[in-house]
Amino acid sequence: MNREQKYRLLEQASPEEITALTDLVNECPWRQTFHVQPIMGLLNDPNGFSFYEGEYHLFYQWFPLGTYHGMKYWYHTKSKDLAFWHNEGIAIVPKDPIDSHGAYSGSAIVKDNKLHLIYTGNTRDSKWNRRPYQCLAIMNEEGFINKQNTPLVDHVPEGYTDHFRDPKVWKDDDMYRFVIGAQREDLTGAAVVYESSDFKEWRYQGEIKTNLGHFGYMWECPDYFELEGKGVFIFSPQGLTPEQDRFQNIYQSGYLIGKPLDRKTLELDHGEFEELDRGFDFYAPQTMVDEKGRRIMIAWMGQAEVAYPTDSHGWAHCLTIPRELKIRHGKLIQQPVPELQKLRGRSIVIQDMIENEVRTYEGVRGTTFEMVCEFSAVKAAAVGIVIRASQQEQTIIRYDKTNKKITLNRAESGNLSDGTNNAIRSCRLDSENIKFHLFVDTSSVEVFINDGEEVFTSRIFPQSGSEEIRFFTEEGSAHMTMTKWDLAQAVD
Ligand code: FRU
């Protein structure tokens, strides 16, 4: 892919090219039904997730003209209830000198009754040197978005490279602050903070002081907030080395929890870095707090530099379902927002004792559904669920009680994303009984375990005929209770 091709604006494409892309998308067997997805082209990070004028606004990184990372726009979608989403169209077109090579990731905050979108304007000079600007666009009550020509920050502070992006803004009592992802000149990742009392003059405050030392070569998409009296710092480090079950994907997303960030010294007293998700496809999460005071997170259900089977169908990636964050025993837990229950249609309930066998039930099948399945009185060595199954395909979620491990196995889930390390993800879990809460869409699965203690988020690309659901126990018995709901179409 040459540069001219990659950095094209939508208006540079012919109507025939766009029709051809749209046709490809429409023929794709893996379009989602309740996950936000691009009308064509590539989606990546969620941006500007906010609540404004009685609605949830969600933007995302979008390259319309292919499934590679090219000229990024902000695309806008909104929802009254976090369940049904409506496409609003393009929000930010990257065609000004301060964002000439992409309107990169950023966030939103309501100020003076207007939604302020702050983002990184990515630019390149004739020698292809990168220069990032931190930019502002303002959306009014009618949804009209006005880009401001003057950047909030027009240079990278000393000590950092031009990998300097993804401002996440919040308001303290008397100050606006944003945290931004950075790379130090010694090529290690960091996050730095800016502050402003008027949203015009932004002062560089310094780096968030963690005890992580050298921890990857770049931190993307940082997010800082307080929850239940604790300071929570989420970021997406690039360049971590895999350690047993951890850090298996190309890039990671995780968090530090500790005391609230010291606003003067920027010290963060924190525990271990924990991954947010254990699946294959989860990156660049962003949170917001809504009018009910809930901290809600959405992430990109994808990874950079990995090919996906939808690429040849003219589109790539989707966003995760919204999840509410809470803290339990010092750990961040994620629960699907209850509004998703609005999508529920026909339900079926089964209770059974399963002993060393694989069971299926009349009417329990499907390609898009929600399911809560609990195994109790577990005497078996392992219990689990098989979804999207047929004679050729299956996706297995298994709890190995003896070895205290949860595994998601997509080795036979159909068409796989490329890469060598793409079949199994695991994590440790020590639990008497086990509860699986699944959200399965045409080409994805999100598994919430024990009410959000662990989550596995993954794309899978089975054939539409693979719709069996099986329940099993190995070497012993367990009692199984499950409810499954069909889900309504919820996205444009
Ligand atoms: C993360 C990221 C961000 C950047 C955006 C560009 O996936 O690389 O750091 O702003 O994507 O699309």
Side-chain angles (χ1 to χ4, degrees):
M1 195 63 51
N2 65 29
R3 280 177 193 162
E4 283 79 64
Q5 190 83 4
K6 251 180 140 170
Y7 289 89
R8 276 185 313 155
L9 288 166
L10 196 49
E11 65 209 41
Q12 288 166 271
S14 67
E16 292 76 32
E17 181 181 351
I18 291 171
T19 312
L21 254 180
T22 318
D23 289 349
L24 268 180
V25 174
N26 292 339
E27 283 159 17
C28 180
W30 291 306
R31 292 294 281 170
Q32 299 279 59
T33 66
F34 61 95
H35 286 87
V36 171
Q37 64 191 337
I39 50 171
M40 61 190 202
L42 177 141
L43 161 158
N44 56 300
D45 317 350
N47 294 153
F49 187 24
S50 51
F51 190 80
Y52 174 60
E53 293 284 303
E55 288 176 307
Y56 292 91
H57 292 268
L58 177 60
F59 304 80
Y60 56 78
Q61 289 286 286
W62 186 48
F63 175 60
L65 296 174
T67 52
Y68 45 91
H69 290 262
M71 184 72 113
K72 296 291 172 69
Y73 288 65
W74 273 39
Y75 193 90
H76 184 193
T77 172
K78 65 180 193 181
S79 171
K80 288 198 175 4
D81 56 12
L82 292 172
F84 292 91
W85 293 91
H86 177 66
N87 282 341
E88 287 293 292
I90 291 169
I92 301 177
V93 182
K95 60 174 185 184
D96 289 301
I98 56 171
D99 63 11
S100 58
H101 289 69
Y104 276 11
S105 284
S107 53
I109 192 167
V110 180
K111 178 183 177 285
D112 305 330
N113 209 32
K114 306 264 185 293
L115 192 65
H116 287 54
L117 312 173
I118 80 169
Y119 67 98
T120 300
N122 183 51
T123 72
R124 298 279 197 173
D125 66 14
S126 55
K127 297 202 182 70
W128 208 244
N129 294 314
R130 193 197 290 273
R131 177 160 179 183
Y133 294 89
Q134 310 317 318
C135 306
L136 175 65
I138 299 177
M139 187 171 100
N140 69 13
E141 297 85 334
E142 279 88 54
F144 182 78
I145 297 172
N146 205 347
K147 282 172 81 175
Q148 312 291 300
N149 296 326
T150 318
L152 302 179
V153 177
D154 67 359
H155 66 282
V156 172
E158 212 166 302
Y160 300 94
T161 74
D162 50 15
H163 286 285
F164 195 77
R165 54 178 174 264
D166 313 336
K168 176 69 173 25
V169 64
W170 77 88
K171 186 166 191 278
D172 289 325
D173 294 339
D174 51 345
M175 276 290 177
Y176 291 98
R177 290 201 167 83
F178 67 74
V179 58
I180 185 162
Q183 180 179 59
R184 299 187 193 105
E185 268 171 355
D186 68 359
L187 306 188
T188 58
V192 308
V193 176
Y194 280 77
E195 62 174 20
S196 170
S197 55
D198 58 5
F199 224 89
K200 290 191 182 85
E201 297 296 317
W202 288 84
R203 190 180 78 85
Y204 169 64
Q205 240 195 307
E207 203 173 279
I208 293 193
K209 297 182 187 69
T210 68
N211 63 22
L212 291 175
H214 287 190
F215 194 70
Y217 60 80
M218 168 68 191
W219 293 2
E220 296 190 308
C221 301
D223 192 344
Y224 176 78
F225 54 90
E226 272 141 39
L227 185 63
E228 300 172 30
K230 304 268 190 231
V232 182
F233 176 44
I234 291 181
F235 60 106
S236 294
Q238 297 179 300
L240 302 184
T241 313
E243 291 171 3
Q244 286 139 17
D245 291 339
R246 302 173 83 205
F247 312 154
Q248 290 296 315
N249 297 333
I250 176 165
Y251 302 132
Q252 274 56 56
S253 291
Y255 63 93
L256 304 173
I257 293 193
K259 296 193 186 120
L261 177 71
D262 185 314
R263 301 300 200 272
K264 287 207 172 67
T265 63
L266 297 180
E267 268 159 41
L268 187 72
D269 188 353
H270 61 87
E272 280 265 305
F273 177 84
E274 295 289 347
E275 276 182 280
L276 275 162
D277 196 275
R278 309 296 183 175
F280 298 87
D281 304 283
F282 182 98
Y283 195 67
Q286 185 169 95
T287 72
M288 58 86 79
V289 62
D290 74 354
E291 92 292 7
K292 299 188 181 105
R294 299 179 298 177
R295 180 59 61 175
I296 301 168
M297 178 179 80
I298 288 184
W300 171 24
M301 207 195 296
Q303 284 283 348
E305 291 158 56
V306 177
Y308 285 73
T310 59
D311 292 351
S312 56
H313 294 273
W315 71 287
H317 313 303
C318 62
L319 298 178
T320 66
I321 54 170
R323 304 152 180 203
E324 182 176 355
L325 297 180
K326 291 182 182 157
I327 297 176
R328 194 193 293 154
H329 309 307
K331 188 172 168 175
L332 216 49
I333 60 154
Q334 303 171 45
Q335 291 171 337
V337 295
E339 287 92 328
L340 292 167
Q341 293 170 14
K342 290 187 176 187
L343 305 180
R344 288 176 178 174
R346 196 184 63 106
S347 68
I348 182 162
V349 180
I350 307 274
Q351 293 209 23
D352 202 1
M353 198 63 197
I354 306 183
E355 184 161 6
N356 213 6
E357 64 195 312
V358 180
R359 288 231 164 144
T360 55
Y361 302 93
E362 182 79 35
V364 181
R365 53 199 304 121
T367 57
T368 59
F369 58 89
E370 178 187 350
M371 181 198 281
V372 176
C373 176
E374 211 163 344
F375 288 92
S376 55
V378 181
K379 309 231 166 43
V383 299
I385 310 172
V386 182
I387 59 160
R388 300 305 310 270
S390 59
Q391 285 201 336
Q392 298 79 34
E393 295 179 342
Q394 56 175 348
T395 299
I396 309 164
I397 301 145
R398 179 173 180 272
Y399 179 49
D400 180 334
K401 194 170 172 181
T402 314
N403 296 307
K404 304 183 174 39
K405 260 203 176 188
I406 298 267
T407 302
L408 171 69
N409 184 331
R410 64 168 190 183
E412 295 171 306
S413 294
N415 216 315
L416 271 191
S417 304
D418 75 356
T420 46
N421 174 24
N422 59 6
I424 287 179
R425 288 288 180 273
S426 303
C427 77
R428 206 189 131 76
L429 188 96
D430 191 355
S431 185
E432 245 330 278
N433 300 329
I434 185 142
K435 182 172 170 189
F436 298 105
H437 190 174
L438 269 62
F439 284 81
V440 178
D441 206 339
T442 319
S443 55
S444 68
V445 53
E446 286 157 281
V447 189
F448 296 81
I449 291 150
N450 288 352
D451 298 305
E453 199 178 322
E454 298 292 349
V455 190
F456 286 75
T457 302
S458 290
R459 298 302 299 278
I460 49 171
F461 300 95
Q463 292 173 15
S464 57
S466 297
E467 54 172 35
E468 281 174 29
I469 304 175
R470 305 170 185 152
F471 303 84
F472 65 88
T473 72
E474 295 168 15
E475 295 171 47
S477 65
H479 186 260
M480 189 277 288
T481 310
M482 85 93 199
T483 309
K484 170 185 168 282
W485 296 265
D486 295 338
L487 296 180
Q489 173 92 26
V491 290
D492 283 345

